[in-house]
Amino acid sequence: PLLVRFPKSKFCEKSQAEKLEVIARYVNLVMRPELSLYIDPVSISRLDWSQFQLVREAVAGSRPPARLMKDIFYPAALLMPDYALRPPQGARAGARLLAVEIKPKLGVMPERGSVPGHGLCNFCLKQHFKLSTGAVCSLSQYCPMDLFSGDPARMLVALRALAASPQNNLRLLADGELLAPAETAEVVESVLGGEQLLAPLLVSCLTQTPGQPAPALLSPLLTAGPGKTAKVRCNA
């Protein structure tokens, strides 16, 4: 199965054609040579205006209100595999498919001196801005510096923070259908046997060496606490 992913924007005059070309080139020419085991090639699919309007009308009613500040204006999209409907190797027939989509954000610190004094990465700094403008009601404790650290304990803290405050950075799908927050706990419990297993399982998947079996869920990861709740600096 394939999906089409349209670029969204706040402004109809923004060049979406250029944005699509940049994304496709980055995936195919930068990411795939380094991560060929994990990334399939993408292409750009163009629609006529009647097809495009049908798509806009079909999805308009299901978009969450918080995301309506952006819309799709250009009749072209990225064409890519739908991983949410691709059973993993060895899955038994008819088993429910649970897919996790993470939007990790930028995993590097600003250059020293570029933004003096704050000690926070771009994502965490923007959280304070969003809180001040009312875009979010509380600060997310997720930090991409933790997720990209390679330290299982820090990665666990990051993924648990995402689960606690997903905003638009974490989505769970069951058999290709996006789960509402109220459904997540029950579905994860039915698939994994416990909601608390999700974050350790994701750490195990993200730290797997290509060609090797996935590492076991270590007991320290299953019992580790949620970590600090008042981040004032991000660790590189």
Side-chain angles (χ1 to χ4, degrees), residues 45-126:
S45 177
R46 291 174 171 81
L47 293 74
D48 63 38
W49 277 103
S50 61
Q51 293 173 320
F52 179 62
Q53 290 301 329
L54 285 174
V55 171
R56 289 190 70 178
E57 293 168 7
V59 303
S62 59
R63 296 188 64 205
R67 304 296 295 165
L68 294 180
M69 66 182 71
K70 293 185 177 182
D71 206 345
I72 57 175
F73 301 102
Y74 185 67
L78 291 175
L79 187 65
M80 57 182 62
D82 189 349
Y83 298 116
L85 294 173
R86 179 182 291 182
Q89 187 175 7
R92 64 181 191 276
R96 197 168 196 183
L97 297 177
L98 181 65
V100 180
E101 181 181 299
I102 299 175
K103 188 178 181 181
K105 309 302 283 187
L106 189 65
V108 296
M109 285 289 286
E111 290 186 16
R112 186 171 297 178
S114 60
V115 186
H118 61 76
L120 296 173
C121 72
N122 190 59
F123 176 85
C124 292
L125 192 61
K126 283 186 175 179

Side-chain angles (χ1 to χ4, degrees), residues 52-214:
F52 179 62
Q53 290 301 329
L54 285 174
V55 171
R56 289 190 70 178
E57 293 168 7
V59 303
S62 59
R63 296 188 64 205
R67 304 296 295 165
L68 294 180
M69 66 182 71
K70 293 185 177 182
D71 206 345
I72 57 175
F73 301 102
Y74 185 67
L78 291 175
L79 187 65
M80 57 182 62
D82 189 349
Y83 298 116
L85 294 173
R86 179 182 291 182
Q89 187 175 7
R92 64 181 191 276
R96 197 168 196 183
L97 297 177
L98 181 65
V100 180
E101 181 181 299
I102 299 175
K103 188 178 181 181
K105 309 302 283 187
L106 189 65
V108 296
M109 285 289 286
E111 290 186 16
R112 186 171 297 178
S114 60
V115 186
H118 61 76
L120 296 173
C121 72
N122 190 59
F123 176 85
C124 292
L125 192 61
K126 283 186 175 179
Q127 281 293 300
H128 287 276
F129 173 75
K130 287 183 176 182
L131 184 65
S132 69
T133 59
V136 296
C137 58
S138 62
L139 292 173
S140 169
Q141 297 305 310
Y142 166 71
C143 176
M145 302 300 296
D146 291 331
L147 184 63
F148 286 107
S149 69
D151 177 350
R154 287 180 63 186
M155 294 173 71
L156 183 69
V157 168
L159 290 163
R160 284 183 169 165
L162 272 183
S165 180
Q167 296 185 16
N168 69 321
N169 301 105
L170 177 71
R171 304 200 311 169
L172 273 71
L173 302 95
D175 294 327
E177 295 292 328
L178 181 64
L179 294 176
E183 304 173 289
T184 300
E186 180 182 351
V187 172
V188 173
E189 178 85 26
S190 68
V191 174
L192 300 181
E195 189 180 10
Q196 76 281 2
L197 295 176
L198 178 61
L201 178 61
L202 292 176
V203 172
S204 177
C205 293
L206 292 171
T207 54
Q208 180 182 3
T209 302
Q212 300 294 322

